[in-house]
Amino acid sequence: VDDTHTVTHIKGSPLNPDRIYMVALPRNLLSGFCNITPLVEWAALHAAMMPDEDSYTPALNLVLNHNAGDVWMRLGTFDQLDKDGDGTIDRGELTLAIQTKLGRKPSDILLDTMIATLDVNKDGVISASEFKAFTERKRSEMCYPGSGGAVGRDPDAPRLSKDVF
């Protein structure tokens, strides 16, 4: 992006005005939400290129899917969450854990997303092995090179601020 806020490069390569780029954005921006005129005008001119209504993922679902793993990591250990000690975390136990953290009952879509994030065998509950595999993978993603396995943010990584944009 240059000084006039015009996109000049995509992934380090000069912008090719004749190329069609795939982008992800909230669908309602194309129909006038936030009143971004260039997006609305482009969508109107290229209606035949727009995907069908059913091919969109609602923004709420994207946010929930993206953050579900982080929420799991903040809820506690498997043993803390498995209140009845049956070796699984069921919907009721997950509801209780989230309600304890948030102070209110979680929505059905949040619960569905949270369970789907870990429920590899699709039986509707989270087993100890599913929980362990997930937390080990998540912890490895949270470690940064040269940290000796320490969990946390890489102190040398760029921070999200106006300087990054």
Side-chain angles (χ1 to χ4, degrees), residues 71-76 80-81 94-104:
V71 173
W72 271 111
M73 295 299 289
R74 291 183 171 100
L75 290 178
Q80 290 169 330
L81 299 172
L94 179 58
T95 299
L96 179 61
I98 295 172
Q99 190 168 347
T100 300
K101 290 283 182 182
L102 296 178
R104 58 184 161 80

Side-chain angles (χ1 to χ4, degrees), residues 117-138:
T117 299
L118 272 65
D119 188 16
V120 176
N121 66 2
K122 308 291 185 226
D123 64 356
V125 295
I126 308 306
S127 67
S129 61
E130 288 170 326
F131 189 86
K132 181 180 180 187
F134 167 78
T135 55
E136 287 176 353
R137 183 179 75 248
K138 194 71 174 167

Side-chain angles (χ1 to χ4, degrees), residues 24-28 51-66 109 113:
L25 61 125
R27 183 181 192 295
N28 55 1
D52 294 333
E53 289 282 331
D54 293 342
S55 65
Y56 291 92
T57 301
L60 174 62
N61 296 36
L62 294 174
V63 171
L64 290 174
N65 288 334
H66 180 75
I109 191 170
T113 302

Side-chain angles (χ1 to χ4, degrees), residues 10-11 13-22 42 49:
I10 305 287
K11 290 182 126 182
S13 298
L15 176 72
N16 178 350
D18 297 321
R19 180 176 169 200
I20 296 173
Y21 294 91
M22 301 293 287
W42 187 92
M49 296 175 64

Side-chain angles (χ1 to χ4, degrees), residues 79-90 93:
D79 290 336
Q80 290 169 330
L81 299 172
D82 180 19
K83 295 294 186 187
D84 63 10
D86 70 350
T88 64
I89 301 168
D90 62 31
E93 290 165 324

